[in-house]
Amino acid sequence: MGYFYLFVLVLISWSCHFLTTNGLQSYQIQLLLQIRKHLEYPSELQILENYNGDLCNLSETSHLLISCQDNFVTELKIRGNKLANISGFNGYAIPGKTLSETFSIDSLVTTLTRLTSLRVLSLVSLGIWGPLLDKIHRLYSLELLDLSSNFMFGSIPSQISRMVKLQTLTLDGNYFNGTIPDTLDSLSNLTVLSLRGNRLKGQFPSSICRILSLTDIALCHNKLTGKLPDLSSLTRLRVLDIRENQFNSKLPVMPQGLVTALLAKNLFSGDIPAQFGALSQIQHLDLSSNHLSGTPPSALFDLPSISYLNLASNGLSGSFLEHLTCGSKLGFVDISGNKLTGGLPSCLDNKSNKRVVKYGGNCLSTDGQQQHQGSYCKEASTRRSGRKIALLVSVGVVSVLLLMLLAFGIIILFRRCWPRRTFETHIWQKAVQENPPTGVSPELLANARFISEVVKLGAQGAPLCRLFTMEELEEATNNFDSSMFMGEGSTGKLYKGRLENGTYVAIRSLSLLKKHSTQNLKVRLDFLSKIHHPHLVGLLGHCNDGGVQDDSGANKAFLVYEYVPNGNYHMHLSETSPEKVLKWSDRLAILIDVAKAAKGDGLKSSQRKNLEDDVYNFGFILLESLVGPIVSGKGEAFLLNEMASFGSQDGRKRIVDPTVLTTCSQESLSIVVSITGKCICPEPSSRPSFADVLWNLQYAAQVQAAADADQKSDSAS
């Protein structure tokens, strides 16, 4: 009887196991059918329709793979035919290219995350569009994720760093346009990181250098900028592909085991490090189309494993060693488009069929391939060493330049985090003693000489502004095409441009005034080109050749400065974007930092006199901060006539920006109104110094901060 009960128990247990197993398998099938529906029934999944067999036993094809273990799906690979090569994709469905407008990437990802045993997920060229969601991290067992050649955009979710089992992450050929998460170092098993062909921006995350398991890094064809860090800690790295970005540092130290290094079409500068000549495993090295200089290390050509070496289109100079030797495996060398001189070593003379060598566009003493005259390389070298350039733009134009630099260059960063600088104790006490807070005289404040110590700008050693040719600017703007036009002000038209090296710039056309001193202008341009500050656009150079004239017959000049993609100060005063409009305390903080940069620390006394016109222009920026861009757009004469309106409460209500009126204290406003009137005084000798302006703005900020604190205290009570 006991054996009978034992037999029944085993039978029941086996039956329960059978039912559970089949239930789970059925659930997995239903999820696959849902995925097919979300992907809008691609032909690659047509086999799932009315299929009665075991999906885990499907034969693998080039378009579909389903693998299982213990009746759970562990691998799902689907490759469609919707290639993501649409240059005009703007985040919305494109008929015939993407999935339809009713597609929901949220529903797709939610269904995928229910396949909790997935170790491999590859969904390629299926027309998937939309942002990749944070919930993707719920696939905690995933070891390989490949979502290449789709239409996903936005940021790569930081939650992806929680998929700690991930070994391969491939998101090539999408439209991701955020930054690379700086938390990827938690992926301690990651070997392949491939983000090719997106629109990623920002810097190379330092956290990547801590993923010691990496063997392949592919970030090419993006918009990454800044410094490439020391990669020597990645001892297992074999492939580094960062072509066609905007990295602008010197070349860093590379891992000794590197096999392929593709760094072409960036902005790398400086000499090629000698350490590159010790990369014994390197086979393919491409440093072409950068700004590299100096003489290439001879050891590069004799590396034991190297077969492909491309150094073309840089600024390499100097001569090769007479007895330069080449490695036995070296089959292709390109040193064309540089400034190399002297003889061509025998191992590069192209007389043997052993290797292909391109060396045109240098100044080499050889008959083969077209070479420049020796003077070409010498002149280029002289330019690179900092030869002084002729500066022919008018001093009157540069008086307006600072206004334009400020108007287009003030970027709003950390709006609510501006540091509130305090005055030295004895200065503050002196001001309070002479003028109690309840009756501070704006007239006294406008002439104050108590200046707090501020950090001086490091201008020493900065390069002079560059002289651009008219051909360069025409090429950068597609011959000043209307598509590059950014706007027009009283000082001329503004265009967006892209230089040959890929750098975006802003180019302003100006009409020249012949009455001003070119020598004074040279001093001022040199000074402005040395200013580096978060709120000022850097002056890169100018162009005054080609004999270009405006409609009145006056010669035109072109000023070239940094391009600001995030908008300018003028935009953040506009009511067209109410949520971004700056309140009074934020405006003061920005104006203070700008006043510190135009202040002129480090100039000689004779040079400081040239800042009087700049104080006048800065006065109109103060005025625009008070009245807003709508009123200021009525012109300079209108504003000068309306200055009298600031004297009464009714007048202020009529002309002052409503945002200012609702966020300022009357005392703080009075201080700025007074110093603004002095800045735009017609008589230059009556205008205050930038030091005076700075002190008044700082004091106005202190008064405003005290008023804000009192208001919060009253609200709390």
Side-chain angles (χ1 to χ4, degrees):
M1 194 70 174
Y3 287 107
F4 174 77
Y5 284 118
L6 180 61
F7 172 77
V8 171
L9 183 62
V10 171
L11 181 62
I12 293 174
S13 176
W14 178 82
S15 300
C16 291
H17 174 73
F18 176 79
L19 292 173
T20 303
T21 301
N22 279 274
L24 288 172
Q25 189 178 43
S26 175
Y27 174 69
Q28 298 278 296
I29 292 174
Q30 291 303 313
L31 289 175
L32 291 175
L33 292 175
Q34 287 182 36
I35 291 170
R36 175 175 177 253
K37 179 181 178 180
H38 292 319
L39 294 176
E40 301 178 354
Y41 305 100
S43 58
E44 293 78 15
L45 295 181
Q46 188 174 0
I47 193 172
L48 298 182
E49 188 174 1
N50 301 321
Y51 184 77
N52 296 321
D54 187 356
L55 291 177
C56 296
N57 292 328
L58 278 176
S59 298
E60 179 181 355
T61 70
S62 58
H63 296 283
L64 178 64
L65 168 66
I66 300 176
S67 296
C68 308
Q69 183 175 342
D70 298 329
N71 295 303
F72 288 93
V73 177
T74 57
E75 293 187 51
L76 178 61
K77 294 184 178 181
I78 310 172
R79 177 178 291 273
N81 56 9
K82 291 181 169 63
L83 299 179
N85 56 359
I86 309 299
S87 59
F89 177 66
N90 60 0
Y92 296 94
I94 302 177
K97 300 296 183 180
T98 69
L99 297 176
S100 69
E101 292 182 356
T102 60
F103 166 74
S104 169
I105 194 170
D106 183 274
S107 299
L108 174 62
V109 173
T110 299
T111 303
L112 287 169
T113 57
R114 291 172 181 165
L115 294 170
T116 54
S117 296
L118 267 184
R119 293 199 300 268
V120 173
L121 176 62
S122 178
L123 303 176
V124 177
S125 300
L126 291 168
I128 300 170
W129 65 277
L132 184 58
L133 306 177
D134 275 343
K135 65 177 69 175
I136 191 72
H137 82 272
R138 296 175 186 171
L139 289 167
Y140 51 82
S141 297
L142 215 58
E143 297 172 4
L144 181 149
L145 177 62
D146 185 354
L147 301 175
S148 299
S149 192
N150 283 292
F151 294 83
M152 285 178 280
F153 54 84
S155 298
I156 298 173
S158 59
Q159 294 292 323
I160 213 165
S161 61
R162 297 174 61 180
M163 304 166 70
V164 294
K165 294 184 179 180
L166 206 60
Q167 298 176 19
T168 298
L169 175 60
T170 305
L171 302 175
D172 298 344
N174 279 280
Y175 294 85
F176 290 109
N177 53 4
T179 57
I180 302 174
D182 199 21
T183 55
L184 296 180
D185 52 343
S186 62
L187 302 178
S188 57
N189 295 305
L190 193 67
T191 59
V192 176
L193 175 63
S194 189
L195 308 175
R196 295 184 179 95
N198 283 280
R199 298 173 178 176
L200 293 167
K201 56 190 177 183
Q203 297 194 350
F204 187 102
S206 59
S207 60
I208 292 180
C209 300
R210 297 191 289 273
I211 311 176
L212 304 183
S213 56
L214 278 171
T215 61
D216 296 69
I217 298 176
L219 306 177
C220 59
H221 310 292
N222 279 289
K223 299 180 179 180
L224 300 173
T225 59
K227 180 181 179 181
L228 187 65
D230 186 334
L231 302 175
S232 59
S233 60
L234 301 177
T235 56
R236 299 182 183 179
L237 192 66
R238 297 296 178 263
V239 177
L240 176 65
D241 186 357
I242 56 171
R243 292 168 294 166
E244 297 193 34
N245 280 286
Q246 298 174 25
F247 291 114
N248 56 10
S249 63
K250 293 185 178 181
L251 292 174
V253 177
M254 293 291 175
Q256 277 307 115
L258 205 59
V259 174
T260 299
L262 308 177
L263 290 76
K265 296 184 179 179
N266 277 282
L267 305 174
F268 290 113
S269 60
D271 294 351
I272 300 175
Q275 185 258 349
F276 275 58
L279 299 175
S280 58
Q281 304 299 316
I282 199 78
Q283 298 177 14
H284 298 81
L285 179 60
D286 189 350
L287 302 177
S288 62
S289 300
N290 280 289
H291 295 165
L292 300 174
S293 57
T295 305
S298 300
L300 279 182
F301 301 84
D302 198 23
L303 289 167
S305 302
I306 196 162
S307 61
Y308 178 97
L309 177 60
N310 193 342
L311 306 177
S313 302
N314 279 287
L316 300 174
S317 60
S319 303
F320 290 110
L321 295 176
E322 182 178 356
H323 301 294
L324 180 78
T325 57
C326 297
S328 60
K329 297 181 181 179
L330 187 59
F332 178 89
V333 179
D334 191 348
I335 54 173
S336 61
N338 283 290
K339 306 295 184 292
L340 297 167
T341 58
L344 187 68
S346 59
C347 75
L348 300 177
D349 61 11
N350 242 357
K351 294 179 180 178
S352 169
N353 294 328
K354 187 175 181 180
R355 63 180 57 94
V356 175
V357 181
K358 295 183 178 182
Y359 53 84
N362 286 285
C363 300
L364 297 167
S365 56
T366 179
D367 296 331
Q369 303 185 20
Q370 185 175 1
Q371 301 293 314
H372 294 288
Q373 296 292 327
S375 58
Y376 169 83
C377 296
K378 184 177 180 181
E379 290 173 1
S381 177
T382 303
R383 287 196 299 270
R384 287 192 306 273
S385 67
R387 177 176 57 88
K388 290 186 178 181
I389 60 176
L391 299 172
L392 304 175
V393 190
S394 152
V395 77
V397 172
V398 177
S399 298
V400 182
L401 171 63
L402 184 60
L403 172 62
M404 300 315 303
L405 293 177
L406 294 169
F408 285 93
I410 299 178
I411 306 173
I412 314 306
L413 297 175
F414 314 118
R415 288 177 52 185
R416 303 188 183 279
C417 300
W418 292 105
R420 306 297 183 189
R421 299 195 181 277
T422 57
F423 295 104
E424 296 292 334
T425 303
H426 67 281
I427 295 176
W428 179 258
Q429 291 174 344
K430 182 175 180 64
V432 171
Q433 290 168 2
E434 294 181 357
N435 300 279
T438 56
V440 179
S441 166
E443 192 69 19
L444 176 63
L445 292 174
N447 293 289
R449 297 292 176 183
F450 305 116
I451 310 302
S452 62
E453 190 67 18
V454 296
V455 178
K456 297 182 179 180
L457 294 174
Q460 299 299 323
L464 300 180
C465 56
R466 176 186 164 194
L467 181 64
F468 288 86
T469 65
M470 195 61 201
E471 290 75 16
E472 285 181 287
L473 301 190
E474 289 174 344
E475 182 177 353
T477 59
N478 194 17
N479 204 21
F480 294 94
D481 187 78
S482 58
S483 63
M484 310 298 281
F485 181 68
M486 295 172 61
E488 184 174 8
S490 60
T491 56
K493 297 181 178 179
L494 186 71
Y495 294 86
K496 179 181 178 181
R498 189 171 189 255
L499 301 180
E500 185 179 5
N501 62 17
T503 302
Y504 285 98
V505 294
I507 302 171
R508 179 167 293 281
S509 63
L510 301 167
S511 296
L512 290 179
L513 302 176
K514 300 180 180 180
K515 63 180 180 178
H516 297 294
S517 164
T518 300
Q519 184 58 36
N520 286 343
L521 172 63
K522 172 178 170 55
V523 173
R524 292 161 63 82
L525 279 181
D526 283 350
F527 168 63
L528 290 174
S529 69
K530 294 176 182 178
I531 293 180
H532 302 283
H533 192 274
H535 300 311
L536 297 181
V537 173
L539 175 65
L540 303 179
H542 77 281
C543 170
N544 189 34
D545 63 2
V548 181
Q549 295 184 338
D550 61 15
D551 295 337
S552 65
N555 288 332
K556 293 183 73 69
F558 299 88
L559 301 175
V560 182
Y561 40 94
E562 291 174 310
Y563 174 67
V564 182
N566 296 326
N568 54 43
Y569 184 50
H570 180 95
M571 183 190 76
H572 289 270
L573 299 179
S574 172
E575 292 182 352
T576 56
S577 302
E579 72 281 358
K580 297 181 180 178
V581 176
L582 294 170
K583 64 180 183 180
W584 179 239
S585 58
D586 292 329
R587 300 186 193 197
L588 285 175
I590 293 168
L591 292 169
I592 286 170
D593 272 9
V594 174
K596 290 177 182 177
K599 184 184 170 186
D601 285 341
L603 286 184
K604 299 177 181 178
S605 58
S606 60
Q607 294 171 326
R608 288 182 179 275
K609 296 179 181 179
N610 293 324
L611 293 177
E612 292 172 352
D613 288 341
D614 296 328
V615 170
Y616 181 83
N617 291 323
F618 186 66
F620 277 93
I621 295 178
L622 293 173
L623 193 55
E624 186 176 39
S625 301
L626 290 166
V627 302
I630 297 178
V631 177
S632 66
K634 295 183 179 181
E636 184 174 311
F638 173 83
L639 291 173
L640 289 174
N641 290 331
E642 290 293 321
M643 277 301 296
S645 301
F646 287 102
S648 66
Q649 290 292 334
D650 291 339
R652 290 185 182 185
K653 290 179 181 179
R654 179 173 58 83
I655 193 172
V656 173
D657 186 351
T659 302
V660 173
L661 288 175
T662 56
T663 59
C664 77
S665 73
Q666 288 301 312
E667 187 178 358
S668 176
L669 183 64
S670 297
I671 295 169
V672 178
V673 166
S674 179
I675 194 64
T676 300
K678 291 188 173 296
C679 286
I680 60 177
C681 178
E683 181 58 44
S685 61
S686 299
R687 297 171 193 160
S689 67
F690 262 115
D692 291 337
V693 176
L694 174 62
W695 190 89
N696 279 272
L697 291 174
Q698 289 177 316
Y699 188 72
Q702 291 285 341
V703 171
Q704 183 62 45
D708 290 342
D710 290 341
Q711 185 177 8
K712 289 182 180 179
S713 177
D714 292 341
S715 300
S717 60

